[in-house]
């Protein structure tokens, strides 16, 4: 089909109103635009792939413990399912928005394509503050959200997983609600569930482990050895704390970590295992941990270290912070932590950025293993999960690296090129159903 750049219709995502600078959907699209031009993507494909195929908004009534009914807003966005059933987590947060979920769903599409798992991309969100809700309220919210989306979810259709503020227990409630409606136990409808319900060994640590694997792969490329590398990690949740621990076990010195309560620094290295235990015993945060010096968020991000792992949330590294970054490698454990206007600055400074859609893909990779195991009814050893995860992450890293070299672009644009190319090629072969 003939192709012309000038017919890309960017109004598709910029109108009726231009997107805010810190809108994650804009952050996704700015990179998508660059990759689309490199790929000479058919303008019709461009228009199709920058929109979600479906968006769902649901009002979720919940009887609170007081007896009052409160109504929460929930989202599920299917960005694309050309490569297979759509896949992606559900986040519970007071500030989650439709545009954020749309961006996160698109990132799932590219992420699955980059690591070569046969899924499309999706994401869900519920506007709520789980810290202020009782377990009973959270259960009722989760079950009603699942019931509202019962026709959307399914092991062959759309498969949720944990994301920010959701966990194994919430996945178990989704499994149970879905199974009650289908009149049979459907454990492949959700991943990241407890091992006793058909979850996979190694799923919980998978994102952090994937972060470690690509970090070591990047060190190999730059001729760095873990023993000589210092690390700072922003975020001490499921991704950041495990990445910190595994990097430390690999020989790196983790000098700083942070969570919502602030940053913690120790020049000779923090005791990450002790900090993880502390968090478990202190309501999920590092508040009051006194075996370290304190640090602001900005000081952590601009610390003199070799490896920086932003593993908290979106939009943490703007142009200003990027100018002051001292690390040689940035490994994006979170989705969308770097704003588009920081990309060029980091590139010019020669910082190697391992982008989110590659760096944090370990989670969805083991979700894929979990789905495969559920469908086979045959469960793997933890060692086998780890080996396969490492192999897939290493392969993806090398392929992204080569694609970036081939087009003389950053690893981020290399990863977008790889992901979009794969989906566009599948779309071309499938054709447009009429
Ligand atoms: N929420 C994770 C992510 O952003 C995992 C998604 C999944 O396993 O489906 O990649």
């Amino acid at each position: 089909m003939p192709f012309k750049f000038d017919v890309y219709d960017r109004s598709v995502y910029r109108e009726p109103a231009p997107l805010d600078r810190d809108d994650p959907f804009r952050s996704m699209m700015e990179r998508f635009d660059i990759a689309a031009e490199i790929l000479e993507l058919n303008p019709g494909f461009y228009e199709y792939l920058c929109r979600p195929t479906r968006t769902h908004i649901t009002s979720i009534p919940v009887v609170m413990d007081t007896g009052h009914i409160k109504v929460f807003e929930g989202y599920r966005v299917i960005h694309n399912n050309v490569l297979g059933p759509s896949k992606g987590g559900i986040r519970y947060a007071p500030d989650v928005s439709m545009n954020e979920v749309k961006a996160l769903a698109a990132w799932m599409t590219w992420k699955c394509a980059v690591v070569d798992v046969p899924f499309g991309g999706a994401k869900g969100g519920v506007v709520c503050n789980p810290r202020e809700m009782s377990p009973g309220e959270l259960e009722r919210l989760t079950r009603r959200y699942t019931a509202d989306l019962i026709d959307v979810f399914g092991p062959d259709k759309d498969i949720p997983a944990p994301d920010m503020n959701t966990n194994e227990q919430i996945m178990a409630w989704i499994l149970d609600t879905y199974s009650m409606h289908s009149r049979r136990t459907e454990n492949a409808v959700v991943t990241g569930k407890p091992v006793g319900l058909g979850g996979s060994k190694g799923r919980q640590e998978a994102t952090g482990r994937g972060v470690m694997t690509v970090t070591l792969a990047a060190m190999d490329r730059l001729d760095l050895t873990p023993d000589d590398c210092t690390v700072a990690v922003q975020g001490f949740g499921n991704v950041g704390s495990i990445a910190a621990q595994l990097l430390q076990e690999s020989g790196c010195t983790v000098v700083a970590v942070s969570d919502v309560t602030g940053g913690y620094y120790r020049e000779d290295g923090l005791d990450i295992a002790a900090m993880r235990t502390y968090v478990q015993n202190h309501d999920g945060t590092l508040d009051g941990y006194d075996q370290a010096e304190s640090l602001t968020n900005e000081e952590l991000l601009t610390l003199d270290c070799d490896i920086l792992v932003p593993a908290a949330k979106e939009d943490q590294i703007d142009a200003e912070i990027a100018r002051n970054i001292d690390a040689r490698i940035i490994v994006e454990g979170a989705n969308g932590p770097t704003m588009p206007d920081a990309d060029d600055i980091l590139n010019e400074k020669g910082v190697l950025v391992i982008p989110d859609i590659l760096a944090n893909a370990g989670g969805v990779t083991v979700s894929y293993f979990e789905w495969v195991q559920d469908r086979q009814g045959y469960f793997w050893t933890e060692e086998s999960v780890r080996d396969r995860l490492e192999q897939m992450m290493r392969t993806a890293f090398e392929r992204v690296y080569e694609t970036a070299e081939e087009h003389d672009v950053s690893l981020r644009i290399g990863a977008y090129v790889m992901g979009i190319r794969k989906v566009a090629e599948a779309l071309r072969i499938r054709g447009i159903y009429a």
Side-chain angles (χ1 to χ4, degrees), residues 375-389:
R375 306 191 73 169
Q376 282 187 320
Y378 177 74
F379 291 87
W380 311 350
T381 61
E382 183 150 4
E383 197 190 356
S384 170
V385 171
R386 284 183 184 178
D387 288 351
R388 290 178 201 236
L389 171 64

Side-chain angles (χ1 to χ4, degrees), residues 87-89 108 111 123 161-163 191 203 335 360 363-364 367:
K87 188 84 192 77
M108 286 308 301
K111 194 186 297 187
K123 202 77 169 199
D163 198 76
T191 61
R203 172 62 186 84
N335 290 308
N360 69 38
V364 77
S367 277

Side-chain angles (χ1 to χ4, degrees), residues 402-432:
E402 283 155 20
T403 309
E405 275 187 335
E406 184 192 328
H407 296 284
D408 196 19
V409 291
S410 63
L411 294 189
R412 185 186 313 284
I413 298 303
Y416 273 74
V417 165
M418 236 175 88
I420 296 168
R421 183 168 52 204
K422 182 160 180 197
V423 177
E425 182 57 11
L427 187 58
R428 191 188 63 76
I429 300 168
R430 284 180 64 155
I432 304 289

Side-chain angles (χ1 to χ4, degrees), residues 5-21:
F5 285 142
D6 56 3
V7 293
Y8 277 179
D9 182 5
R10 298 206 161 100
S11 68
V12 172
Y13 72 93
R14 286 184 183 155
E15 282 174 10
L19 297 171
D20 288 342
R21 194 176 143 265

